Every structure is written in structure tokens, then in C-alpha cells.
């Protein structure tokens, strides 16, 4: 039965801090809603859970944690949302997700943690149908109205994160020049997203 196979798409936005992911997530949400798609916008870390509050206080420099420990908390924060994520996708809702496992690996490996060790706790989370990379030079991102003052929001560190993302990126990712005006970025993302949503509606299998 074609209809029961129809599901939502798992669409992930990745990029450096200040690359515009949050603005583009909300624009994509409005766009898909306007086309009468069932869609939600999510973000990681989800700071509303108990684990999320620990992450939030770490990012605000209100607590100190070992690099491995915080890595596992970020991962746990994705795991605690996994079953809801699967339910939503299977019921036909598309999820636009601002950061996912790739952020986990990019940010922690930028600190010098072994990249394979970083990937391990992400195994078994749902695989995105589409990864959109908002590509911006770290220097340009830093110029954008300044950073918010959280732990990782420093040019030197963001340069390392950009390097980690280069290592992680593969041919399946779609890259957009995030230095372009917001409207131009949005236009490119719209096409990519619509294509993905349509493919998933036709019954593409959900994978891990
Ligand atoms: P955001 O709410 O998108 O600004 O993310 C908060 C910060 O946390 C940002 O600098 C990116 C970083 N971050 C997001 N996910 C992870 C993760 O899984 N692991 C690590 N180490 N950092 C992450
Ligand atoms: Na941030
Ligand atoms: Na963001």
C-alpha cells in the first residue's frame, strides 16, 4: 500500500555558528507549511530536557565537564528524542533539524578527540534523508553581528570546526554558499528540500 509507506523526511542543517541555520530552518518551516506539508522544526541540543539543561549550563560556562563526558551528553540528548523522531517521521511529518550527529562529531573532534570515538555513540540514530551544509568562512561568520558568548563561539575554535566538517562531508551532502544573501540561500534550500520531501512521500525506506 503506497499510502502507508509515505513518511516525512529527516532534513538536517549543519554549519558553523552564525552560518544562518536557525533563520533558514524557520524559513523552510514556513515554506513547507505553506505547501500544506506536515512539518516541524527541531534543534539539537534540545535544551528543554534534563540532559539539555546540563548541556546549556556547560555552553554558558556555568559548569565544567570533561570533553568525553559532554560529548556523550550531546549524544544522549539526541538519543532521548529518537523514538519521538521515528514516530513523527512514520506518521508523515517532515522534520527540519538544526544540527544533528555531525555537529557532535565536528565540535568534539575539533577539540582533539578521536573522530572514530566521536562517531560511535551516534550509531543507531536515524539517518538523515538530506544534510544541508551552510558553508561560510569562519571569518565571515564571526563578522555577523558577533557571537553570543557561548563556549564554542570563538574564531580560533570555529576554524577547527570548519576543518572537521571538511573531513566529515561526503558527496551526499548538499552544500550552499551561506555567505549569499538570506533570500538566495533560502531559494536554493527550498528546491533541495522539496525534492527530498517528495522522494520520502513516495516511500523511501527509513534507515539508521
Ligand atoms: P546552537 O544551539 O545550535 O547554537 O548550539 C550550541 C553550541 O553547541 C554550538 O556552538 C554548537 C555546539 N554543539 C551542537 N551540538 C553539539 C554536539 O553534539 N557536540 C558538541 N561538542 N557541540 C555541539
Ligand atoms: Na550558538
Ligand atoms: Na544556531
Amino acid at each position: 500500500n503506497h499510502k502507508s509507506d509515505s513518511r516525512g523526511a529527516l532534513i538536517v542543517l549543519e554549519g558553523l555558528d552564525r552560518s544562518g541555520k536557525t533563520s533558514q530552518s524557520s524559513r523552510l518551516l514556513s515554506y513547507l507549511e505553506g505547501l500544506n506539508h506536515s512539518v516541524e522544526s527541531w534543534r539539537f541540543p534540545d535544551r528543554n530536557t534534563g540532559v539539555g539543561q546540563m548541556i546549556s549550563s556547560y555552553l554558558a560556562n556555568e559548569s565544567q565537564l570533561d570533553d568525553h563526558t559532554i560529548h556523550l551528553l550531546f549524544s544522549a540528548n539526541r538519543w532521548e528524542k529518537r523514538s519521538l523522531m521515528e514516530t513523527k517521521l512514520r506518521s508523515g511529518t517532515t522534520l527540519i533539524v538544526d544540527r544533528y550527529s555531525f555537529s557532535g562529531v565536528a565540535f568534539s573532534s575539533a577539540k582533539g578527540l578521536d573522530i572514530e570515538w566521536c562517531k560511535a555513540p551516534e550509531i543507531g540514530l536515524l539517518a538523515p534523508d538530506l544534510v544541508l551544509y551552510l558553508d561560510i568562512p569562519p571569518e565571515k561568520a564571526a563578522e555577523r553581528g558577533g557571537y553570543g558568548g557561548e563556549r564554542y563561539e570563538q574564531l580560533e575554535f570555529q576554524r577547527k570546526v570548519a576543518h572537521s566538517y571538511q573531513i566529515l562531508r561526503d558527496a551526499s551532502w548538499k552544500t550552499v554558499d551561506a555567505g549569499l544573501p538570506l533570500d538566495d540561500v533560502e531559494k536554493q534550500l527550498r528546491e533541495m528540500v522539496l525534492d527530498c520531501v517528495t522522494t520520502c512521500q513516495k516511500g523511501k525506506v527509513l534507515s539508521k
Side-chain angles (χ1 to χ4, degrees):
N1 174 311
H2 178 76
K3 186 129 208 309
S4 69
D5 287 342
S6 166
R7 65 165 179 91
L10 178 53
I11 298 171
V12 170
L13 279 93
E14 288 286 353
L16 298 181
D17 286 291
R18 309 295 294 157
S19 58
K21 294 182 308 317
T22 307
S23 312
Q24 294 299 339
S25 292
S26 68
R27 284 169 175 236
L28 288 173
L29 178 73
S30 309
Y31 171 62
L32 291 176
E33 281 173 345
L35 296 175
N36 281 318
H37 284 286
S38 169
V39 58
E40 290 182 12
S41 145
W42 284 28
R43 71 179 308 154
F44 289 108
D46 177 339
R47 303 187 190 214
N48 299 310
T49 69
V51 172
Q53 283 163 25
M54 292 176 71
I55 293 170
S56 193
S57 103
Y58 171 82
L59 289 171
N61 289 305
E62 287 160 5
S63 63
Q64 308 306 323
L65 288 167
D66 167 77
D67 290 342
H68 301 81
T69 309
I70 186 62
H71 181 80
L72 295 172
L73 288 178
F74 272 108
S75 184
N77 187 235
R78 288 182 280 276
W79 274 101
E80 63 184 340
K81 306 297 284 192
R82 187 198 183 283
S83 69
L84 182 61
M85 188 179 254
E86 182 163 7
T87 304
K88 295 274 180 188
L89 293 169
R90 290 200 187 284
S91 74
T93 300
T94 284
L95 303 177
I96 309 281
V97 184
D98 184 347
R99 297 193 181 284
Y100 197 54
S101 301
F102 310 103
S103 283
V105 179
F107 280 75
S108 291
S109 67
K111 296 174 176 176
L113 298 191
D114 178 74
I115 196 161
E116 295 307 321
W117 185 89
C118 290
K119 287 178 182 174
E122 306 298 317
I123 296 170
L125 291 172
L126 298 174
D129 296 295
L130 178 62
V131 182
L132 300 167
Y133 185 66
L134 273 62
D135 194 16
I136 191 165
E139 296 73 21
K140 187 154 184 180
E143 285 165 11
R144 285 190 164 174
Y147 292 130
E150 283 198 330
R151 186 181 284 265
Y152 299 138
E153 296 178 337
Q154 292 168 14
L155 181 55
E156 246 342 282
F157 187 69
Q158 296 284 321
R159 284 195 180 113
K160 292 182 183 162
V161 176
H163 177 71
S164 298
Y165 271 126
Q166 296 316 317
I167 294 168
L168 283 177
R169 267 160 81 174
D170 67 35
S172 72
W173 291 30
K174 296 225 186 309
T175 298
V176 174
D177 178 355
L180 294 172
L182 284 186
D183 288 347
D184 297 346
V185 175
E186 182 186 3
K187 187 161 174 282
Q188 292 184 41
L189 293 177
R190 279 183 176 197
E191 280 178 34
M192 295 165 176
V193 159
L194 197 55
D195 201 49
C196 175
V197 168
T198 309
T199 309
C200 291
Q201 277 175 337
K202 287 179 187 154
K204 184 177 171 242
V205 175
L206 187 61
S207 61
K208 286 185 216 163

